[in-house]
Amino acid sequence: QVQLVESGGGLVQAGDSLRLACAASGRTSSSYAMAWFRQAPGKERGFVAAISRTSSKIAYVDSVKGRFTISRDNAKNTVYLQMNSLKPEDTAVYYCAATSRDWYLMRPEGLSYYDTWGQGTQVTVSS
């Protein structure tokens, strides 16, 4: 079993950048596909980005394409989300998630496919 801890959230202005990190402990993170989801107040948790075990497959929600970049460093057991050109609508709690499922046997954007979740980190973007 893997445990996930997010960090890097904060309060920024529109147009600024942030980099979130998700540190995995326990079983090596290279055994898992990883993803970022986010949840704004009063809204359901939604998909942001996902990355396969070897980084060969990456997926993004349309609203962050060209602004966010997901990456991973398996040697450090860490997954990152680089967020540029932040907008007020990006304000949410960001959650890291892991799944042992094969990338080709799941929908990366499907919340129910992920077995393990972090506690979340708050990102607030002011206008």
Side-chain angles (χ1 to χ4, degrees), residues 31-87:
S31 300
Y32 297 84
M34 304 291 291
W36 289 95
F37 287 76
R38 64 187 178 185
Q39 187 167 17
K43 295 188 177 181
E44 294 185 352
R45 192 171 299 188
F47 173 73
V48 177
I51 187 167
S52 63
R53 299 174 189 181
T54 62
S55 304
S56 61
K57 297 293 184 183
I58 288 176
Y60 296 99
V61 67
D62 285 348
S63 60
V64 308
K65 286 180 180 178
R67 299 189 299 122
F68 291 12
T69 302
I70 189 171
S71 62
R72 66 190 299 163
D73 185 338
N74 287 340
K76 296 182 178 179
N77 284 332
T78 303
V79 175
Y80 304 97
L81 185 68
Q82 177 67 42
M83 305 186 295
N84 298 330
S85 302
L86 282 162
K87 304 176 181 179

Side-chain angles (χ1 to χ4, degrees), residues 4-7 20-22 34-41 43-50 70 79 81 83 92-98 111 114 116-123:
L4 306 174
V5 178
E6 302 96 334
S7 62
L20 305 183
C22 173
M34 304 291 291
W36 289 95
F37 287 76
R38 64 187 178 185
Q39 187 167 17
K43 295 188 177 181
E44 294 185 352
R45 192 171 299 188
F47 173 73
V48 177
I70 189 171
V79 175
L81 185 68
M83 305 186 295
V93 177
Y94 283 71
Y95 296 91
C96 179
L111 188 149
Y114 293 88
T116 304
W117 294 82
Q119 83 289 347
T121 185
Q122 177 70 47
V123 172

Side-chain angles (χ1 to χ4, degrees), residues 87-107:
K87 304 176 181 179
E89 51 263 44
D90 294 318
T91 295
V93 177
Y94 283 71
Y95 296 91
C96 179
T99 178
S100 57
R101 291 173 173 83
D102 189 291
W103 183 273
Y104 295 100
L105 299 179
M106 58 176 278
R107 292 187 300 112

